[in-house]
Amino acid sequence: MDKIIAFFSSFMTKILKTGNKNINKNIDSEVSNSQHTISGMSKVVAILEDKVVEPFKVTETTNKKEIKAMYRFGNRSRARLDTCHPDMIKIMEEVIKIYDISVLEGLRTAEKQLEYFETGRSKLDGVKKLSKHQDHGDGLSYAVDIMPYKKGSNAFSGAQKDLRRFYYLAGLVKMAARQLLEEVKISHKVRWGGDWDQDDIYTDQNFDDLPHFELRAI
């Protein structure tokens, strides 16, 4: 492109050597100052046509389209999700664009948390140790329990291939959270109940809570 513009500058200057001296002088000046830019060349053409024009404006266009969600939350899932912190809502809304999920639980009462503790479903009693699902003073849950959804199947069947769906889902959640964090759309990290210490090693813990995701301070 630079070679073409340079050739154009030289060519047009030579053509006008027999023309008006003032025009030649103006062209020489514009060619010298243009540094072979499209803007400079537009001024040369303007002098040839004996009129003033604005320099060319090079603009970029994009064909990017917002990703249309493939799935959406049902009424019960939506109501449960809406009890969560806005950051968690944003993360889950990104996930469901590409993978269908059901929201099992958001905000949880102390009584329900104690029940889960007594039946071995949680390590937190909800009294001495609060769960991220419980209200910490702002009326919001900082955790959500979700599961992969597919009509006619059961992610809790116990079969290895069904359990793998939770690990796949965890990757999508962490990816969505990281992207939103980098875009400064959320202000928390996310931790998964299948990898409490977040070291990507899944055999070093003795309590798995695969549906569980919670927000963590940065």
Side-chain angles (χ1 to χ4, degrees):
M1 184 65 178
D2 288 340
K3 291 182 179 180
I4 294 174
I5 294 175
F7 173 79
F8 176 80
S9 303
S10 175
F11 177 72
M12 294 308 298
T13 303
K14 289 178 181 178
I15 287 178
L16 292 171
K17 288 300 182 181
T18 58
N20 186 290
K21 291 183 178 180
N22 290 331
I23 293 179
N24 289 340
K25 183 178 180 180
N26 289 338
I27 290 176
D28 287 338
S29 175
E30 291 299 340
V31 169
S32 175
N33 294 331
S34 70
Q35 297 181 346
H36 304 317
T37 64
I38 292 178
S39 175
M41 292 306 98
S42 68
K43 291 183 179 180
V44 173
V45 174
I47 295 170
L48 290 177
E49 295 179 348
D50 195 25
K51 63 181 179 180
V52 178
V53 297
E54 290 295 321
F56 295 158
K57 293 182 179 179
V58 180
T59 59
E60 293 184 1
T61 59
T62 177
N63 292 322
K64 289 183 179 179
K65 295 182 179 179
E66 184 178 349
I67 297 176
K68 185 177 181 180
M70 293 176 62
Y71 308 100
R72 64 183 180 86
F73 292 110
N75 292 335
R76 284 186 296 181
S77 286
R78 182 79 253 182
R80 292 164 181 165
L81 182 60
D82 285 344
T83 67
C84 296
H85 186 281
D87 281 3
M88 186 64 80
I89 294 175
K90 290 177 183 177
I91 294 169
M92 294 302 137
E93 286 177 340
E94 287 300 309
V95 172
I96 203 165
K97 288 180 180 180
I98 57 175
Y99 195 70
D100 204 1
I101 58 176
S102 290
V103 179
L104 304 175
E105 197 167 10
L107 190 63
R108 184 183 297 165
T109 64
E111 291 76 17
K112 178 62 71 173
Q113 184 63 41
L114 181 59
E115 176 188 329
Y116 288 165
F117 174 73
E118 291 177 341
T119 56
R121 295 176 61 184
S122 176
K123 295 295 184 181
L124 306 175
D125 62 9
V127 180
K128 295 179 180 179
K129 294 183 178 180
L130 300 184
S131 164
K132 289 279 187 177
H133 282 280
Q134 293 177 256
D135 180 5
H136 286 67
D138 56 7
L140 300 173
S141 173
Y142 282 66
V144 69
D145 287 353
I146 60 175
M147 64 174 285
Y149 175 79
K150 183 68 176 178
K151 189 175 181 179
S153 69
N154 179 15
F156 291 106
S157 70
Q160 283 298 315
K161 288 188 176 181
D162 278 328
L163 286 177
R164 291 172 191 169
R165 295 165 65 189
F166 283 100
Y167 289 84
Y168 178 79
L169 175 56
L172 295 178
V173 172
K174 290 194 288 185
M175 179 184 68
R178 180 173 180 175
Q179 179 176 332
L180 291 170
L181 189 59
E182 289 178 351
E183 294 173 353
V184 198
K185 293 181 178 179
I186 62 174
S187 58
H188 292 82
K189 296 187 295 185
V190 69
R191 183 169 75 160
W192 176 44
D195 184 23
W196 293 109
D197 56 6
Q198 304 177 82
D199 62 355
D200 290 326
I201 298 175
Y202 308 126
T203 57
D204 61 351
Q205 57 186 42
N206 54 25
F207 178 74
D208 289 331
D209 192 356
L210 301 185
H212 179 87
F213 295 89
E214 63 183 40
L215 298 177
R216 306 288 289 181
I218 298 175

